[in-house]
Amino acid sequence: MDVQIRLATMADIPALEGLIRDSVSNLSAGFYTDAQIETALSHIFGVDTQLILDQTYFIAEIDRMIAGSGGWSKRKTMFGGDKLKAQKLDPLLDPATEAARLRAFYVHPQWSRRGVGSSVLTECENAARLAGFTRIELVATLPGERLYAARGYERVDAMQLEIPNGKPLPAFRMTKAL
């Protein structure tokens, strides 16, 4: 299996929206209820165009099909797509004192547990390191926590991601030295 990693562009947004829906709907089943998944897709999960504009969002392709995506951020936001952001300004982090953010990881169910997420994760960690960051942190949903733990991330806090009119999503803040 030959995984090709490239930077995402604004033209990729429609395909990324489909990937996100397929990934969350399928890979979150058994971890969250159907209602939690649907509400999270409507209010939390989605494309964050700032990552694309910052050129920190990657796409993994196999035979020209988008198999996964994920990014890192030099900005304060911890998780969520454009629809979650109340403020338009997302301040920059200081690499000398703050951790980069790992953000918006999605793998197509057809390619899950086959190294796609790890390939994107490696690309993100290397890019954050090159940008001067020495630590990286993320908010892991229950289906993603296993990947991050296997890659050396440690749980820092248990969290509840609030969703409108619904039961919150359990998640974990995790961190790793780069």
Side-chain angles (χ1 to χ4, degrees):
M1 178 173 76
D2 185 27
V3 179
Q4 299 293 315
I5 306 292
R6 66 172 175 83
L7 284 172
T9 69
M10 298 300 265
D12 292 313
I13 289 175
L16 288 168
E17 289 170 343
L19 169 69
I20 292 166
R21 178 157 287 285
D22 289 344
S23 178
V24 173
S25 296
N26 289 281
L27 300 179
S28 294
F31 293 96
Y32 303 122
T33 67
D34 290 345
Q36 285 175 305
I37 292 167
E38 269 312 305
T39 304
L41 281 167
S42 296
H43 297 283
I44 298 175
F45 302 127
V47 175
D48 182 343
T49 52
Q50 186 65 61
L51 295 174
I52 296 172
L53 294 171
D54 286 344
Q55 295 189 318
T56 60
Y57 199 61
F58 299 98
I59 287 178
E61 291 182 324
I62 299 172
D63 297 329
R64 295 187 181 195
M65 181 183 121
I66 295 179
S69 65
W72 71 279
S73 182
K74 55 188 172 185
R75 297 182 182 275
K76 298 245 182 224
T77 297
M78 285 292 294
F79 64 90
D82 289 346
K83 55 192 159 198
L84 182 67
K85 291 182 180 178
Q87 62 181 21
K88 297 295 179 198
L89 181 64
D90 193 359
L92 292 171
L93 297 164
D94 179 357
T97 60
E98 297 176 290
R101 312 295 198 231
L102 199 63
R103 305 267 321 280
F105 266 69
Y106 302 100
V107 175
H108 191 280
Q110 174 184 347
W111 299 106
S112 71
R113 314 267 185 266
R114 297 177 67 187
V116 171
S118 289
S119 295
V120 177
L121 186 57
T122 297
E123 193 75 26
C124 290
E125 289 173 347
N126 289 340
R129 192 179 298 108
L130 283 172
F133 287 92
T134 59
R135 293 179 303 117
I136 194 163
E137 66 181 3
L138 60 98
V139 173
T141 58
L142 298 183
E145 189 267 342
R146 190 166 85 187
L147 165 67
Y148 303 121
R151 294 292 310 262
Y153 287 78
E154 295 180 8
R155 285 186 193 178
V156 176
D157 297 311
M159 305 174 63
Q160 298 288 321
L161 306 182
E162 298 297 327
I163 53 179
N165 303 319
K167 185 177 172 189
L169 299 179
F172 298 101
R173 189 168 67 90
M174 302 179 80
T175 190
K176 177 182 177 178
L178 292 176

